[in-house]
């Protein structure tokens, strides 16, 4: 039996676990905001040689890393098993084999330590990076832009656990588009940070198309990707370093232009008190600068290491689940195509 009083303790320490994709991560979070530890074992180097994530390789790597990563998170947080008050784990969306590793380890810990446990939506967790290490928490209602390798979502958040989906990508996600652009330009994987680096030495002087999808809050980036492919076929781009940099800068500019303009328009229309950015693409400096420079509505941006996949955001989100009495049972299954709102 779970001791419900545990959930009402003043300083509640949650162990967050994240294995949805190619990062094995564990963190200890106090009261949903304070990071006591945040350990991430990245598999990027392993997958880079294949030019993308290989699901089978990812789940096997999670199996190897998960126990040492959790032990490290507890040691760095100076927290023993007995000091923990709950376990939160990502159960979707993501790769089934990867999610299964985290969920089953979380269940084993909860069962053996008699701790409450909660399954967390990875997209919701990304949003909660905006609660970490902040003196003042975000104000509701807020508009959340989640931009990652698999998702570009606009979600209205009216309160903790209250989400309404306004828009999503109709094809490629923003991060996926950047990853594919880097592949077309033969720059390597993952594409987002590489395109950002190239863009720093280039100029956004080429005009690539923007899919505005007027009247809808949805996004679309596959036409932009196709336009890039045709441009590279028609012009001698590869090997011409300054042209590659200009192409990268122009492609990135097209992605940013659509994300920033559509998000600010939606925020003004609703209206909301704040815009919350999250997901790996939100670590892009050009994008965050554009938001901060142009938005009339306050914008919250987590630091880059809390935008990309981590378990601190899972622990923060889990804390609010526990506060709302949102506990999971031991038959919780993984949901690879889970959505939010
Ligand atoms: O949130 P995340 O770490 O994992 C998923 O949930 O997918 O996001 C990964 C995505 C990748 O597509 C990666 O290329 C992109 O975020 N990304 C970036 C940057 N850093 C990571 N995109 C643009 N600029 C960056 N600096
Ligand atoms: Zn993610």
């Amino acid at each position: 039996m779970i001791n419900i009083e545990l959930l009402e303790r003043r300083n509640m320490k949650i162990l967050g676990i994240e294995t949805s994709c190619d990062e094995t991560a564990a963190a200890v979070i106090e009261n949903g905001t304070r990071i006591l530890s945040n350990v991430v074992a990245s598999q990027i180097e392993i997958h880079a040689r294949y030019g993308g994530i290989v699901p089978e390789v990812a789940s096997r790597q999670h199996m190897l890393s998960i126990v040492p990563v959790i032990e490290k998170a507890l040691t760095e947080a100076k927290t023993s098993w007995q000091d923990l008050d709950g376990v939160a784990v990502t159960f979707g969306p993501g790769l089934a084999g990867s999610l299964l590793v985290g969920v089953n380890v979380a269940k084993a810990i909860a069962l053996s330590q008699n701790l409450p446990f909660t399954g967390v939506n990875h997209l919701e967790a990304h949003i909660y990076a905006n609660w970490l290490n902040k003196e003042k928490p975000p104000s509701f209602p807020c508009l959340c832009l989640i931009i990652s390798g698999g998702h570009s979502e606009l979600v209205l958040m009216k309160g903790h656990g209250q989400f309404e989906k306004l828009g999503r990508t109709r094809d490629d996600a923003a991060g996926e588009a950047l990853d594919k652009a880097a592949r077309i330009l033969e720059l390597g994987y993952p594409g987002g940070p590489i395109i950002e680096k190239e863009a720093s030495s280039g100029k956004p002087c080429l005009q690539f198309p923007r899919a505005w999808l007027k009247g809808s809050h949805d996004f679309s980036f596959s036409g932009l990707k196709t336009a890039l492919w045709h441009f590279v076929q028609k012009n001698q781009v590869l090997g011409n370093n300054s042209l590659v940099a200009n192409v990268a800068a122009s492609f990135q500019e097209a992605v940013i232009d659509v994300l920033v303009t559509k998000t600010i328009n939606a925020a003004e229309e609703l209206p909301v008190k704040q815009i919350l950015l999250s997901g790996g693409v939100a670590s892009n400096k050009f994008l965050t600068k554009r938001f901060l420079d142009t938005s009339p509505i306050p914008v919250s941006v987590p630091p880059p290491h809390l935008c990309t996949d981590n378990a601190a955001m899972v622990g923060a989100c889990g804390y609010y689940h526990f506060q709302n009495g949102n506990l999971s049972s031991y038959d919780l299954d993984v949901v690879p195509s889970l959505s939010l709102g």
Side-chain angles (χ1 to χ4, degrees):
M1 269 297 287
I2 302 299
N3 182 354
I4 257 333
E5 273 173 28
L6 277 179
L7 304 180
E8 285 155 11
R9 269 200 212 156
R10 272 256 168 107
N11 286 320
M12 198 173 170
K13 287 183 184 174
I14 306 298
L15 173 67
I17 298 175
E18 159 64 44
T19 63
S20 67
C21 195
D22 62 340
E23 257 93 30
T24 316
V28 179
I29 304 301
E30 194 171 64
N31 295 338
T33 55
R34 200 165 153 242
I35 301 177
L36 302 185
S37 66
N38 185 21
V39 179
V40 181
S42 173
Q43 304 177 6
I44 280 180
E45 277 179 26
I46 298 168
H47 298 287
R49 69 180 88 127
Y50 304 105
I53 296 162
V54 184
E56 172 79 12
V57 174
S59 45
R60 283 170 186 268
Q61 197 57 39
H62 284 308
M63 284 296 288
L64 295 175
S65 308
I66 190 75
V67 173
V69 162
I70 291 173
E71 282 174 344
K72 191 161 185 240
L74 291 175
T75 306
E76 287 185 3
K78 298 187 176 53
T79 299
S80 66
W81 293 109
Q82 290 73 33
D83 295 333
L84 289 174
D85 299 299
V87 186
V89 63
T90 303
F91 74 104
L95 302 169
S98 293
L99 291 163
L100 276 167
V101 176
V103 167
N104 282 308
V105 167
K107 283 181 188 175
I109 293 172
L111 198 58
S112 62
Q113 302 300 319
N114 194 27
L115 288 168
F117 113 99
T118 185
V120 163
N121 182 319
H122 182 76
L123 302 174
E124 182 182 3
H126 266 304
I127 294 171
Y128 275 93
N130 287 285
W131 267 259
L132 289 166
N133 287 350
K134 287 275 169 74
E135 280 181 11
K136 205 168 159 266
S139 315
F140 298 121
C142 28
L143 181 63
C144 311
L145 176 67
I146 311 159
I147 31 179
S148 66
H151 295 84
S152 307
E153 317 252 333
L154 259 185
V155 178
L156 174 64
M157 185 178 187
K158 294 179 181 159
H160 292 295
Q162 294 173 42
F163 301 99
E164 190 184 311
K165 186 174 340 188
L166 304 175
R168 61 178 172 90
T169 183
R170 292 192 184 170
D171 37 59
D172 292 351
E176 191 180 355
L178 291 163
D179 291 339
K180 286 177 178 169
R183 193 178 302 173
I184 292 170
L185 292 169
E186 297 183 357
L187 293 171
Y189 172 86
I194 304 174
I195 294 279
E196 177 176 8
K197 192 157 169 272
E198 283 292 324
S200 308
S201 56
K203 286 199 183 70
C205 51
L206 304 160
Q207 193 59 29
F208 283 115
R210 277 92 162 132
W212 294 111
L213 307 180
K214 291 239 155 50
S216 159
H217 294 305
D218 285 351
F219 299 104
S220 166
F221 295 107
S222 72
L224 172 62
K225 176 191 65 190
T226 309
L228 170 70
W229 190 82
H230 284 299
F231 185 87
V232 171
Q233 298 305 306
K234 280 197 204 124
N235 303 278
Q236 296 233 308
V237 178
L238 303 180
N240 180 339
N241 290 349
S242 64
L243 183 53
V244 167
N246 287 348
V247 170
S250 306
F251 185 90
Q252 179 184 263
E253 172 62 26
V255 173
I256 291 174
D257 195 11
V258 172
L259 290 172
V260 175
T261 308
K262 292 198 70 156
T263 303
I264 292 176
N265 286 349
E268 287 186 308
E269 223 173 77
L270 283 161
V272 291
K273 291 201 178 126
Q274 234 178 321
I275 293 172
L276 310 185
L277 304 185
S278 63
V281 182
S283 58
N284 185 289
K285 287 188 289 294
F286 292 88
L287 174 116
T288 53
K289 186 174 184 315
R290 182 73 56 82
F291 262 111
L292 295 169
D293 287 350
T294 60
S295 176
I297 293 162
V299 180
S300 164
V301 193
H305 71 287
L306 298 177
C307 287
T308 47
D309 284 352
N310 65 86
M313 64 188 196
V314 178
C317 183
Y319 171 81
Y320 290 98
H321 276 211
F322 289 128
Q323 293 293 306
N324 285 341
N326 180 1
L327 276 67
S328 299
S329 59
Y330 291 118
D331 59 3
L332 177 77
D333 198 0
V334 300
V335 185
S337 58
L338 187 66
S339 69
L340 182 66

